[in-house]
């Protein structure tokens, strides 16, 4: 679906943000791109919808080279939800905001109406439909931004740092929503440095450091690998930290989930009693 | 309200550095009060974590502590609030600034000079501190926060974590008794956040500064704190020692992000395995688990 | 955002950068005064050449050349306008254009170039920081100096934010280059509104941070840095004043003797 081949990217101020990145995202994948701030995560995903074009190498989306297609065309298939909803909200009502992209893409009025309705209900914004997006709380604004992208039903949804500034409950809601989207067959790409969030989602993890991919594998293996995690300067999830200290008792160390941890500990104790 | 928790905390009035009673505040034009009957006591040298869901009034409470409320925001403030033995409503923000330093969430919007040291000096310049004193205090604040080498750089060239340390140095240079930090790490990556927590921990331990840290990421922050306050809908709902608060049932109901170490403890307890204490961070949990696992084995 | 790169002062250490902005400003004023005094080519050429050592000593050749290039189009316009206007309004019907007319137009163009030259030396070698400090120590109200440095500080931040907003709206299918002229202007609304809203939010947060750091506590504000007049500054001040006195002297007593250049050159060639 999205194929990144040996991509290099240098910003106009000569910062080399990507140094030979290759990555393949298949339909229905759930990928978390992780790493420290400045590791090149956002730069990489901005290549997926053509906001950035590789300095060297190629990015193809559904077989089309992103260099030959406008951002608007690519965005039909790839929805990008930016980190800060305030960078995109500008309409007088939530409804207008959600309809904006649909109008840009030239949908018919009837379909626009239907889609807006659907997206607003999907994100539980029905009672705010006539409110000004600026009057809503931070979490609600985030949901409006999300609705305004999901409205045109893109095949791939990219979320840039969705958990920043969100409290625990909001994160939990968001996590359930993302997992549900993915279960319905949508390809989801999440850019984040929130380890605990990823540990609970259990997606495929692409770990980046200094413009390169350090490792690409499932969350359980990547996040519990002390060496890789240090290399990418992230902190392992708390449960795996605990188990890293218990390895000399013969316990496995690749545990990230609380309940899995409990079961293993109970097993261990039960076996001995 | 967990009454037991609140009462278990013995309040020593002589050591109290912050004391509020019956605080009610409504923003200008607001329909409902953002703070509802907030009464709390914070002792000198405490490291307090203030948490709760978005919009619960944490930030509003922070603004009360250095006089932004009521002086900058106006609105309607009732009840009593005393900080460093000053009654907030009777003293100006700049008088309070000498005792209470406030660090904000977004590092970008609280640095306004073109070099780091000039920014750190800003508060002292405003207070009219003589140049020689100022130089010494700026250098000291830069060293305490580990950014002495960056002193001549422009703030916008720095990473978010470095910027936030500059912001801490800025208020530290004014030698406050209390430092209030409003979600200082929410824009930072985990490593940058950890560094900030270490710096804050040092200020508390080495300099005895009373710290009030507003934070969602309890996993990272909890190991330094000795006092946790949870707010919800403008009220204080839990107030006590970290392990008591995290282990209480209401914390989970409000949706506070209880550290995973504590969650594991709770899960084990449900299954009949008891650890000796409530762990609030992974090191503690590892030690406690080792105890139990090896004991049962022996 | 290459347009905004020019606003970013590069921190370079050179004797010229170290000079007190106030003295540099005196120098700029002197050059300005002299350039306005004379409308003959020869003194303006001298004035142009005299400044080149400053550019080299400051090591800002690249930036300087860029700013001169930027001014070249305007310089060309000035030349053409001077030439055509004076030709049609004063010298008509004298044919062909006299050499003095050409020289006059060239002198006017050069005057403009000299002004650009001296101002660009000033701005390329003076950090906004020191400029703010100089304003403060020249008894400009502090609020104004603060507004100045804060504006400089936030230009790159806002530029970056504008870029992000543009990206976000493009990702929602906004095509900035589509439609007729009016439509294209309307296309910028989704970019301007978030930018303005965020600027307002930002300024509120700034105000809060300033208040929290004892803004307005005393009228006797002190300053971490202080500008001291040093040897180099005295030298530049003497040079500037000397140049000005010499120029006034020449203007008063020898103005008529300044040779015009073109007859001089053509005479030699013959």
């Amino acid at each position: 679906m999205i194929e990144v081949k040996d991509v290099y990217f240098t910003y106009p101020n000569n910062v080399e943000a990507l140094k030979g990145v290759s990555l393949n995202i298949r339909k229905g994948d759930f990928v978390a791109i992780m790493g420290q701030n400045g590791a090149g995560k956002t730069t990489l995903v901005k290549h997926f919808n053509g906001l950035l074009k590789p300095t060297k190498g190629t990015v193809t989306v559904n077989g089309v080279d992103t260099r030959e297609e406008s951002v608007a065309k690519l965005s039909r298939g790839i929805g990008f939800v930016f980190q800060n909803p305030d960078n995109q909200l500008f309409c007088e009502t939530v409804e207008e905001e959600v309809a904006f992209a649909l109008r840009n893409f030239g949908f018919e009025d009837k379909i626009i109406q239907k889609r807006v309705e659907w997206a607003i209900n999907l994100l539980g914004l029905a009672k705010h439909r006539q409110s000004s997006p600026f009057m809503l709380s931070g979490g609600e604004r985030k949901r409006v931004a999300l609705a305004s992208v999901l409205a045109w039903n893109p095949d791939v949804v990219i979320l840039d740092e969705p958990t920043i500034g969100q409290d625990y409950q909001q994160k939990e809601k968001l996590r359930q929503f993302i997992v549900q989207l993915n279960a319905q067959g949508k390809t989801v790409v999440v850019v984040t440095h929130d380890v605990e969030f990823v540990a609970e989602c259990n997606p495929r993890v692409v770990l980046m450091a200094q413009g390169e991919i350090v490792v690409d594998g499932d969350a359980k293996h990547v996040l519990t690998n002390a060496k890789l995690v240090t290399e990418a300067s992230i902190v392992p999830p708390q449960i795996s930290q605990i188990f890293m200290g218990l390895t000399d008792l013969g316990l496995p160390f690749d545990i990230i989930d609380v309940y899995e941890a409990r079961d293993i500990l109970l097993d261990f104790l039960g076996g001995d009693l | 309200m967990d009454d037991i928790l609140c009462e278990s905390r013995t309040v020593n009035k002589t050591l109290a550095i912050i004391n509020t009673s019956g605080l009610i505040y409504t923003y200008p034009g607001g329909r409902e009060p953002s703070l509802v009957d907030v009464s709390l006591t914070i002792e000198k040298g405490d490291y307090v974590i203030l948490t709760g869901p978005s919009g619960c009034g944490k930030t509003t409470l922070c603004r009360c502590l250095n006089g932004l409320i009521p002086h900058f925001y106006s609105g309607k403030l009732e009840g009593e609030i005393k900080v460093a033995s000053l009654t907030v409503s009777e003293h100006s923000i700049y008088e309070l600034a000498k005792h209470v330093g406030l660090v904000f969430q977004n590092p970008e919007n609280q640095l306004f000079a073109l070099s780091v040291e000039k920014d750190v000096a800003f508060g002292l310049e405003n207070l009219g501190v003589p140049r020689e004193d100022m130089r010494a205090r700026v250098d000291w604040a830069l060293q305490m926060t580990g950014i002495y080498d960056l002193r001549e750089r422009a703030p916008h060239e720095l990473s978010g974590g470095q910027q936030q340390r500059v912001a801490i140095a800025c208020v530290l240079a004014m030698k406050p008794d209390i430092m209030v930090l409003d979600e200082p790490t929410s824009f930072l990556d985990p490593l940058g956040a950890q560094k900030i927590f270490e710096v804050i921990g040092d200020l508390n331990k080495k300099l005895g500064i009373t710290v009030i840290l507003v934070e969602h990421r309890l996993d990272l922050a909890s190991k330094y704190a000795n006092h946790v306050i949870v707010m919800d809908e403008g009220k204080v709902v839990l107030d006590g020692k970290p392990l008591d608060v995290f282990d209480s049932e209401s914390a989970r109901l409000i949706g506070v992000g209880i550290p995973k170490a504590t969650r594991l403890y709770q899960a084990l307890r449900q299954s009949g395995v008891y650890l000796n204490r409530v762990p609030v961070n992974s090191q503690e949990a590892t030690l406690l688990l080792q105890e139990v696992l090896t004991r049962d084995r022996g | 955002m290459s347009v905004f790169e020019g606003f970013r002062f590069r921190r370079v250490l050179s004797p010229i950068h170290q000079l007190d902005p106030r003295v540099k400003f005196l120098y700029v004023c002197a050059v300005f005064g002299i350039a306005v005094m004379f409308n003959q080519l020869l003194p303006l050429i001298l004035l142009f050449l005299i400044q080149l050592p400053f550019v080299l000593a400051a090591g800002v050749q690249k930036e300087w050349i860029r700013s001169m290039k930027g001014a070249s189009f305007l310089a060309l316009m000035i030349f053409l306008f001077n030439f055509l206007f004076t030709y049609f309004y004063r010298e008509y019907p004298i044919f062909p254009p006299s050499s003095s007319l050409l020289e006059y137009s060239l002198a006017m163009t050069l005057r403009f170039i000299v002004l650009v030259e001296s101002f660009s030396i000033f701005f390329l070698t003076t950090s906004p920081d020191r400029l703010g400090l100089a304003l403060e120590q020249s008894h400009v109200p502090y609020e104004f100096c603060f507004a100045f440095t804060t504006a400089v500080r936030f230009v790159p931040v806002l530029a970056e934010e504008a870029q992000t907003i543009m990206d976000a709206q493009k990702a929602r299918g906004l095509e900035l280059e589509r439609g007729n002229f009016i439509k294209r202007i309307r296309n910028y609304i989704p970019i301007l509104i978030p930018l303005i809203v965020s600027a307002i939010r930002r300024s509120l947060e700034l105000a809060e941070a300033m208040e929290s750091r004892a803004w307005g506590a005393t009228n006797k504000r002190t300053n971490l840095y202080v500008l001291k007049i040093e040897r180099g500054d005295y030298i530049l001040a003497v040079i500037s004043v000397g140049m000005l006195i010499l120029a006034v002297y020449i203007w008063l007593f020898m103005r008529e003797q300044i040779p015009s250049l073109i007859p001089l050159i053509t005479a030699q060639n013959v």
Side-chain angles (χ1 to χ4, degrees):
Chain A
M1 181 128 216
I2 300 173
E3 216 173 316
V4 179
K5 249 194 225 144
D6 202 27
V7 163
Y8 288 78
F9 183 79
T10 310
Y11 279 102
N13 59 0
N14 286 330
V15 174
E16 215 184 356
L18 296 179
K19 302 171 196 161
V21 170
S22 296
L23 179 68
N24 215 337
I25 294 174
R26 293 166 298 265
K27 194 168 162 47
D29 268 4
F30 181 9
V31 185
I33 298 179
M34 301 193 70
Q36 212 180 357
N37 286 353
K41 306 179 302 257
T42 303
T43 307
L44 175 61
V45 290
K46 278 188 175 172
H47 277 84
F48 295 174
N49 65 347
L51 281 172
L52 296 175
K53 317 272 179 186
T55 315
K56 221 174 92 191
T58 53
V59 178
T60 43
V61 175
N62 289 329
V64 181
D65 191 325
T66 58
R67 278 204 197 85
E68 337 229 288
E69 202 66 277
S70 72
V71 178
K73 278 250 173 63
L74 288 164
S75 296
R76 268 308 299 277
I78 296 180
F80 197 125
V81 185
F82 276 67
Q83 179 181 352
N84 186 351
D86 297 339
N87 282 340
Q88 61 164 24
L89 302 180
F90 72 101
C91 294
E92 279 168 40
T93 66
V94 170
E95 270 182 345
E96 279 301 305
E97 197 67 59
V98 177
F100 175 70
L102 297 170
R103 289 192 214 290
N104 286 332
F105 290 132
F107 282 89
E108 280 170 43
D109 279 351
K110 239 190 203 155
I111 299 183
I112 291 182
Q113 236 171 15
K114 227 192 265 165
R115 287 286 179 85
V116 169
E117 195 62 37
W118 173 79
I120 281 181
N121 286 328
L122 187 66
L123 283 136
L125 292 162
K127 67 174 174 191
H128 298 298
R129 62 172 68 226
Q130 291 298 333
S131 317
S132 158
F134 299 109
M135 301 306 288
L136 302 178
S137 73
E140 286 161 349
R141 286 208 294 270
K142 195 124 206 166
R143 297 217 300 274
V144 176
L146 195 53
S148 78
V149 169
L150 290 176
W152 77 82
N153 201 18
D155 302 329
V156 183
V157 182
I158 302 172
L159 298 113
D160 191 5
E161 297 288 1
T163 63
I164 276 195
Q166 304 285 299
D167 68 24
Y168 183 76
Q169 258 176 333
Q170 290 164 335
K171 269 192 215 176
E172 185 55 28
K173 265 192 205 159
L174 190 74
R175 187 182 70 82
Q176 286 167 2
F177 186 75
I178 293 174
V179 170
Q180 194 191 336
L181 270 186
N182 180 242
Q184 286 162 4
K186 238 180 209 92
T187 313
V188 178
V189 179
V190 180
V191 174
T192 184
H193 50 228
D194 193 327
V195 219
E196 300 295 344
F197 183 76
V198 174
E200 287 181 19
C201 292
N202 205 12
R204 165 182 166 198
V205 173
V206 173
L207 200 55
M208 291 186 74
Q210 278 134 29
E212 286 173 83
I213 291 182
V214 180
V215 65
D216 179 352
D218 65 86
K220 210 172 150 177
H221 289 116
V222 174
L223 294 181
T224 54
N225 187 327
K227 190 174 146 278
L228 293 174
V229 163
T230 338
E231 200 176 324
S233 311
I234 61 170
V235 183
Q238 209 168 30
I239 292 295
S240 100
Q241 282 180 38
I242 295 173
F243 275 79
M244 280 174 192
L246 297 174
T247 41
D248 35 332
L249 294 172
L251 286 168
F253 62 89
D254 54 341
I255 311 295
I256 52 178
D257 182 74
V258 176
Y259 296 99
E260 193 185 356
R262 177 198 59 190
D263 294 343
I264 286 178
L265 289 171
L266 290 178
D267 253 12
F268 183 83
L269 289 168
D272 275 349
L273 284 174
Chain B
M1 177 73 110
D2 272 33
D3 286 315
I4 318 131
L5 281 176
C6 287
E7 276 165 29
S8 72
R9 217 181 126 68
T10 48
V11 177
N12 188 339
K13 287 275 182 199
T14 52
L15 284 172
I17 194 160
I18 295 172
N19 202 337
T20 75
S21 62
L23 210 57
I24 302 172
Y25 175 73
T26 315
Y27 279 102
R31 259 174 279 159
E32 282 165 42
S34 303
L35 292 180
V36 185
D37 194 21
V38 171
S39 303
L40 42 86
T41 304
I42 289 166
E43 286 167 34
K44 198 168 163 34
D46 265 3
Y47 189 127
V48 184
I49 288 182
L50 178 57
T51 191
S54 296
C56 71
K58 304 180 298 263
T59 300
T60 309
L61 183 59
C62 290
R63 286 173 179 153
C64 290
L65 296 177
N66 82 333
L68 282 174
I69 290 173
H71 304 297
F72 182 77
Y73 279 95
S74 61
K76 202 170 112 195
L77 182 69
E78 289 167 69
E80 201 179 307
I81 171 162
K82 263 191 152 176
V83 176
S85 47
L86 302 172
T87 303
V88 169
S89 50
E90 289 163 12
H91 290 83
S92 60
I93 302 175
Y94 59 77
E95 275 173 90
L96 290 160
K98 289 180 230 170
H99 302 280
V100 188
L102 188 49
V103 176
F104 299 87
Q105 184 173 22
N106 190 343
E108 213 166 52
N109 293 345
Q110 51 184 318
L111 303 177
F112 15 75
L114 296 162
S115 76
V116 166
E117 58 179 5
K118 182 85 176 144
D119 233 321
V120 174
F122 181 80
L124 302 176
E125 292 178 342
N126 285 334
L127 292 171
V129 173
R131 181 168 306 113
E132 299 73 47
D133 283 5
M134 187 172 354
R135 185 78 252 175
R137 275 163 78 170
V138 167
D139 287 348
W140 170 78
L142 289 168
Q143 265 151 1
M144 283 307 295
T145 45
I147 48 169
Y148 189 70
D149 296 336
L150 305 175
R151 67 189 180 282
E152 288 183 350
R153 299 270 293 276
H156 68 80
E157 293 171 354
L158 306 179
S159 74
Q162 288 168 332
Q163 285 181 348
Q164 203 56 284
R165 276 192 277 163
V166 176
I168 292 176
C170 287
V171 298
L172 182 63
M174 299 170 81
K175 302 214 167 153
D177 312 312
I178 305 161
M179 205 178 270
V180 183
L181 304 103
D182 190 0
E183 296 190 44
T185 65
S186 67
F187 290 108
L188 310 183
D189 56 31
L191 226 57
Q194 212 169 43
K195 187 82 203 164
I196 295 291
F197 292 138
E198 278 164 23
V199 169
I200 300 169
D202 269 2
L203 300 182
N204 175 253
K205 233 185 284 161
K206 290 189 188 150
L207 303 174
I209 294 176
T210 307
V211 169
I212 297 163
L213 175 67
V214 177
E215 191 56 58
H216 288 306
R217 288 197 226 185
L218 301 178
D219 285 347
L220 291 170
S222 57
K223 90 171 167 212
Y224 302 93
N226 69 339
H227 184 173
V228 174
I229 297 171
V230 182
M231 290 182 71
D232 193 23
E233 293 172 346
K235 294 191 221 50
V236 173
V237 285
L238 291 167
D239 180 352
K241 289 206 181 78
L243 51 166
D244 294 337
V245 169
F246 294 148
D247 192 32
S248 79
E249 197 52 34
S250 23
R252 206 169 56 185
L253 293 179
I254 301 159
V256 172
I258 302 161
K260 293 276 170 60
T262 313
R263 289 251 294 275
L264 180 60
Y265 162 85
Q266 290 166 340
L268 286 171
R269 188 176 53 188
Q270 274 170 3
S271 315
V273 177
Y274 293 90
L275 303 185
N276 291 339
R277 261 181 313 117
V278 187
V280 293
N281 60 53
S282 52
Q283 286 95 319
E284 272 180 37
T286 307
L287 288 175
L288 292 168
L289 279 169
Q290 267 168 350
E291 273 173 36
V292 170
L293 296 177
T294 45
R295 183 192 60 207
D296 283 9
R297 201 173 242 191
Chain C
M1 298 306 283
S2 58
V3 190
F4 295 99
E5 287 298 312
F7 286 97
R8 278 188 204 184
F9 168 82
R10 274 194 317 124
R11 216 169 276 277
V12 196
L13 287 179
S14 83
I16 307 293
H17 285 78
Q18 300 288 337
L19 291 170
D20 190 310
R22 290 170 293 181
V23 179
K24 267 190 268 187
F25 191 67
L26 174 72
Y27 160 80
V28 171
C29 291
V31 171
F32 186 88
I34 299 171
V36 173
M37 254 186 249
F38 295 94
N39 55 7
Q40 294 95 330
L41 197 51
L42 185 63
L44 287 166
I45 289 179
L46 285 178
L47 207 51
F48 179 78
L49 294 177
I50 266 178
Q51 303 197 68
L52 290 182
F54 284 105
V55 178
L56 293 177
V60 292
Q61 304 88 323
K62 259 197 219 153
E63 293 81 1
W64 180 76
I65 288 171
R66 205 183 300 153
S67 71
M68 295 316 275
K69 265 190 201 154
S72 60
F73 176 72
L74 222 57
L76 190 70
M77 296 302 288
I78 289 176
F79 177 77
L80 284 177
F81 273 97
N82 267 296
F83 193 83
L84 293 175
F85 275 98
T86 33
Y87 177 73
F88 281 114
Y89 289 97
R90 219 179 53 195
E91 312 247 343
Y92 194 77
I94 301 169
F95 266 90
S98 66
S99 60
S100 75
L101 172 57
L102 181 66
E103 185 163 337
Y104 174 75
S105 310
L106 277 175
M108 288 299 114
T109 313
L110 199 57
R111 179 188 275 174
F112 168 73
I113 291 177
V114 165
L115 295 183
V116 172
E117 186 185 27
S118 64
F119 273 104
S120 72
I121 291 176
F122 180 77
F123 283 108
L124 287 174
T125 64
T126 309
S127 74
D129 222 355
R130 282 170 71 87
L131 189 56
L133 197 58
L135 287 176
E136 245 174 275
Q137 293 188 7
S138 315
H139 303 287
V140 174
Y142 180 68
E143 284 76 9
F144 178 80
C145 309
F146 182 78
F148 169 76
T149 49
T150 314
V152 174
R153 148 93 173 86
F154 280 97
V155 163
V157 177
L158 284 180
E160 212 169 288
E161 179 143 39
Q163 185 65 54
T164 311
I165 293 172
M166 241 187 273
D167 281 354
Q169 304 298 36
K170 273 195 215 158
R172 291 164 82 199
L174 179 70
E175 286 177 279
L176 290 170
E177 260 84 75
R178 205 169 62 177
N180 58 21
F181 183 69
I182 303 291
K183 173 88 170 79
R184 279 190 200 197
I185 292 178
R186 282 180 54 114
N187 283 345
Y188 277 88
I189 292 177
I191 288 159
L192 282 177
I193 292 180
L195 195 61
I196 292 168
V197 169
S198 114
I200 293 171
R201 192 167 286 161
R202 212 181 270 282
S203 63
L204 265 177
E205 279 181 32
L206 269 176
E208 231 182 333
M210 281 160 61
E211 288 284 344
S212 305
R213 274 152 69 190
W215 171 264
T218 164
N219 293 329
K220 292 190 201 109
R221 213 176 171 275
T222 48
N223 208 313
L224 180 64
Y225 304 129
V226 65
L227 289 174
K228 266 195 243 137
I229 307 268
E230 283 171 30
R231 221 179 60 191
D233 301 311
Y234 284 118
I235 296 175
L236 182 64
V238 169
I239 292 177
S240 312
V241 174
M243 266 168 35
L244 199 62
I245 292 174
L246 187 69
V248 170
Y249 179 79
I250 294 174
W251 190 72
L252 284 177
F253 303 111
M254 297 163 65
R255 196 173 2 158
E256 305 306 322
Q257 279 109 298
I258 297 173
S260 34
L261 276 188
I262 291 178
L264 212 66
I265 297 166
T266 41
Q268 267 171 1
N269 282 353
V270 172

